[in-house]
Amino acid sequence: MLEAVELTKHFKQHKAVQAINVYLKRGEIVGLLGPNGAGKSTAIGMISSLITPTTGEVYFQKKDVLKNPQVLRKKLGVVPQEIALYDDLTAKENLEFFGRIQKMKNPELKEKIQEVLEQIGLQDQGKKLVKHFSGGMKRRLNIGAALLHEPEILIMDEPTVGIDPQSRNYILETVKRLNQEKQMTILYTSHYMEEVEYLCDRIYIMDRGSIIASGTKKEIKNILSADQMIQVKMERENEEFIQILQSQPIIARVEMKDHQVTIVVPKEVNLIAKLFKWAEETKANILGVEIQSPTLEDVFLHLTGRALRN
Ligand SMILES: Nc1ncnc2c1ncn2[C@@H]1O[C@H](COP(=O)(O)OP(=O)(O)OP(=O)(O)O)[C@@H](O)[C@H]1O
Ligand SMILES: [Mg+2]
């Protein structure tokens, strides 16, 4: 549906975005994950034709967006990273302003404003001045402004930065709802890996202007070593049980700490039944077993040697 090809942006000497390839299929929620300064905002600025690329192309339904921005403009909603609202206007007046920019007129505009206020959970706050809004309410209204013209594609640039957990959850649920109920295609930018992990079907990981990994969550996590880590909680330490584990050639590593045994084995090995058998033989009492899968944070660390958040 939307495709960016070899998009590049240089600000003088600085290579903010280097030859990235990104596509969105209809109905997907796609994540763009990366630390501060990775080039996320510059990338989506180019995709939404707000920033002119140094080189590269953008296509919407096979039409060239850079030559013809209006093929995308009506179908696209962009939620900017910086909150763009008028403090001295009410929520409703703000939405009215943004609706008029989209050339919407009453009575349709009025209806849409009411619908959008409901979508973002501000139906009772429409007459309140934005300057009296909390950070989370402003973020929600910022999203609402992008929804008025019923876009098919929504691009969100870090929509949950600096807000309370409750507003954050509300926004995440709103994103899910827009996708499920309105079949909206969403590009969700964030440096919170849990959000991207929760929301997104496919993910691009960006660092220093380049996309360093892409694919489904599973594909990206498979970048990490072929091992799995199993945590076994024991009632008490049992030397004999540990010795059996250590004597298994298939087990790469065994560590014991605070009644917890960490076992590393290749991913394809299913050890659980054997663990319980060995425990029974040695009268070791297992309280719990947990198989830990790597997080996107682990993948980022593996690829870059740095943590996602500084
Ligand atoms: N207009 C500009 N002029 C010069 N440099 C810029 C400009 N816009 C962005 N940059 C630089 O390009 C790089 C990428 O910036 P960008 O804002 O795209 O990153 P980001 O991933 O959105 O970061 P953040 O998570 O902090 O929003 C940064 O080093 C930034 O300083
Ligand atoms: Mg940004």
Side-chain angles (χ1 to χ4, degrees):
M1 167 177 221
L2 185 65
E3 191 178 15
V5 184
E6 299 285 312
L7 269 190
T8 299
K9 182 72 186 179
H10 295 173
F11 294 108
K12 294 204 179 107
Q13 299 305 315
H14 185 70
K15 295 172 176 161
V17 174
Q18 304 187 57
I20 62 162
N21 291 292
V22 171
Y23 69 87
L24 296 180
K25 283 192 274 187
R26 189 180 291 279
E28 281 187 310
I29 307 183
V30 173
L32 181 60
L33 180 69
N36 290 130
K40 305 181 296 296
S41 295
T42 308
I44 64 177
M46 290 191 282
I47 292 171
S48 49
S49 62
L50 299 171
I51 296 175
T52 310
T54 307
T55 55
E57 284 129 48
V58 181
Y59 296 97
F60 174 65
Q61 291 171 339
K62 307 246 187 293
K63 291 184 204 108
D64 190 330
V65 175
L66 299 178
K67 281 198 191 122
N68 227 338
Q70 58 274 23
V71 299
L72 181 58
R73 205 154 274 168
K74 277 213 160 102
K75 309 282 174 81
L76 179 73
V78 180
V79 182
Q81 181 168 4
E82 304 298 333
I83 289 177
L85 298 168
Y86 292 95
D87 267 354
D88 289 322
L89 297 183
T90 66
K92 265 191 183 160
E93 287 163 349
N94 265 283
L95 291 178
E96 199 173 332
F97 172 80
F98 287 103
R100 298 221 181 266
I101 291 183
Q102 294 289 346
K103 305 206 164 39
M104 296 172 72
K105 293 192 178 70
N106 282 331
E108 189 218 350
L109 176 57
K110 225 175 182 157
E111 271 168 38
K112 268 321 278 187
I113 288 174
Q114 202 49 42
E115 189 187 324
V116 163
L117 284 172
E118 276 162 34
Q119 277 172 341
I120 56 176
L122 295 178
Q123 60 274 26
D124 303 323
Q125 313 288 337
K127 292 194 173 130
K128 207 170 183 172
L129 288 177
V130 164
K131 66 177 162 203
H132 297 143
F133 271 17
S134 70
M137 288 160 80
K138 284 185 190 171
R139 281 269 163 215
R140 277 144 74 174
L141 189 57
N142 204 41
I143 294 170
L147 296 176
L148 283 168
H149 62 298
E150 293 199 23
E152 289 175 27
I153 305 178
L154 185 65
I155 299 187
M156 310 178 86
D157 195 353
E158 308 214 31
T160 60
V161 164
I163 59 174
D164 59 286
Q166 208 181 337
S167 292
R168 184 181 176 195
N169 286 341
Y170 194 90
I171 288 176
L172 294 181
E173 293 316 315
T174 305
V175 172
K176 278 235 148 150
R177 210 164 0 94
L178 289 169
N179 175 254
Q180 279 163 7
E181 290 172 13
K182 306 236 167 204
Q183 285 76 50
M184 215 175 266
T185 306
I186 296 167
L187 180 62
Y188 189 93
T189 308
S190 179
H191 62 263
Y192 296 120
M193 65 108 195
E194 324 82 51
E195 291 187 351
V196 167
E197 181 137 30
Y198 171 68
L199 285 175
C200 302
D201 308 313
R202 264 188 325 113
I203 299 163
Y204 293 93
I205 302 184
M206 205 172 170
D207 186 46
R208 296 183 177 168
S210 300
I211 286 172
I212 57 170
S214 65
T216 61
K217 273 174 262 196
K218 206 166 160 208
E219 284 165 350
I220 289 185
K221 288 176 180 182
N222 275 339
I223 293 171
L224 273 191
S225 75
D227 292 338
Q228 60 175 329
M229 214 199 287
I230 304 174
Q231 306 273 7
V232 186
K233 234 196 186 95
M234 313 291 299
E235 194 176 44
R236 65 180 78 84
E237 280 188 34
N238 183 315
E239 197 52 40
E240 210 185 335
F241 178 65
I242 300 294
Q243 273 170 8
I244 290 186
L245 295 178
Q246 282 167 339
S247 68
Q248 305 299 320
I250 194 81
I251 297 181
R253 209 171 81 215
V254 181
E255 273 164 29
M256 176 86 204
K257 197 183 165 206
D258 302 331
H259 296 193
Q260 179 141 317
V261 192
T262 305
I263 303 167
V264 177
V265 283
K267 246 183 204 151
E268 63 278 5
V269 175
N270 186 349
L271 205 67
I272 307 300
K274 282 191 187 140
L275 276 180
F276 281 97
K277 185 173 127 282
W278 296 325
E280 203 180 314
E281 284 169 14
T282 59
K283 302 204 162 44
N285 206 357
I286 292 179
L287 298 179
V289 177
E290 200 178 312
I291 298 172
Q292 294 198 330
S293 54
T295 63
L296 293 176
E297 180 85 50
D298 296 332
V299 176
F300 189 81
L301 191 67
H302 170 79
L303 291 174
T304 66
R306 283 173 286 116
L308 198 48
R309 261 169 282 175
N310 36 21

